[in-house]
């Protein structure tokens, strides 16, 4: 297996692994907001090794020492982590607040990516019962 840094590692695999891999559909091009506790990213060392994406959740880190934010979600596009987003739901006003957005270094944030993010935020807001999406909400701490 080749890791994100280009290094190779010996791994065990079933004898028909190449047939199985050939049968897999290509990844969706939809941009996804990944929950910090999703099993796909739970093993932070594996996430870094396979995708080159250093991630930690900072809910237990004092505010002054946080690099990103209180509850920051990774953003996945196809098979690449492209950024992070800090969201907060205000249940009283039924608003999903986008507090901050960070693109990964070297990533070009295109209009198409912005459209994909908008579609994903709409899907998420419906899922959690919010009717509004607001960027940079000053009234939400």
């Amino acid at each position: 297996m080749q890791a994100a840094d280009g290094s190779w590692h010996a791994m065990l695999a079933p004898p028909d692994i190449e047939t199985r891999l050939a049968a897999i559909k290509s990844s969706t091009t939809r941009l996804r907001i990944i929950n910090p506790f999703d099993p796909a990213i739970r093993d932070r060392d594996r996430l870094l090794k396979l995708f080159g994406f250093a991630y930690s959740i900072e809910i237990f880190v004092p505010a002054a020492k946080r690099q990103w934010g209180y509850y920051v979600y990774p953003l996945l596009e196809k098979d690449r982590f492209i950024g992070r987003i800090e969201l907060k739901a205000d249940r009283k006003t039924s608003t999903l607040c986008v507090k901050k957005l960070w693109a990964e270094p070297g990533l070009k944030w295109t209009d198409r990516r912005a459209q994909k993010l908008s579609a994903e935020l709409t899907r998420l807001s419906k899922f959690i019962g919010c009717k509004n999406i607001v960027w940079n909400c000053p009234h939400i701490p």
Side-chain angles (χ1 to χ4, degrees):
M1 175 204 65
Q2 187 175 18
D5 66 2
S7 63
W8 285 91
H9 303 270
M11 298 286 161
L12 297 177
D16 64 341
I17 188 65
E18 291 182 5
T19 304
R20 291 182 189 191
L21 290 172
I24 296 174
K25 292 181 184 179
S26 63
S27 303
T28 179
T29 59
R30 186 177 119 196
L31 190 148
R32 296 179 187 265
I33 297 170
I34 306 295
N35 184 296
F37 301 104
D38 189 292
I41 66 168
R42 191 177 320 159
D43 184 333
R44 307 299 195 232
D45 291 336
R46 181 184 65 184
L47 180 67
L48 180 60
K49 187 175 281 187
L50 292 178
F51 295 96
F53 187 71
Y55 176 77
S56 63
I57 187 160
E58 299 178 324
I59 57 177
F60 300 115
V61 176
K65 293 185 177 185
R66 291 182 192 138
Q67 180 180 3
W68 305 104
Y70 179 76
Y71 203 94
V72 175
Y73 298 84
L75 298 175
L76 178 67
E77 182 181 45
K78 200 164 181 169
D79 61 355
R80 180 179 177 195
F81 286 90
I82 63 163
R84 304 151 201 271
I85 191 166
E86 185 175 12
L87 303 170
K88 179 140 175 115
D90 182 350
R91 304 291 180 184
K92 292 178 186 173
T93 63
S94 187
T95 300
L96 177 62
C97 175
V98 179
K99 296 179 79 171
K100 285 191 177 180
L101 172 67
W102 299 268
E104 283 298 284
L107 181 93
K108 184 177 179 186
W109 196 264
T110 63
D111 288 342
R112 182 68 185 125
R113 279 202 173 104
Q115 291 169 358
K116 288 180 182 183
L117 178 58
S118 179
E120 184 69 355
L121 288 169
T122 299
R123 187 196 68 76
L124 178 62
S125 67
K126 287 179 185 175
F127 179 73
I128 63 173
C130 288
K131 295 178 182 168
N132 311 299
I133 301 170
V134 176
W135 286 77
N136 302 319
C137 314
H139 67 285
I140 298 177

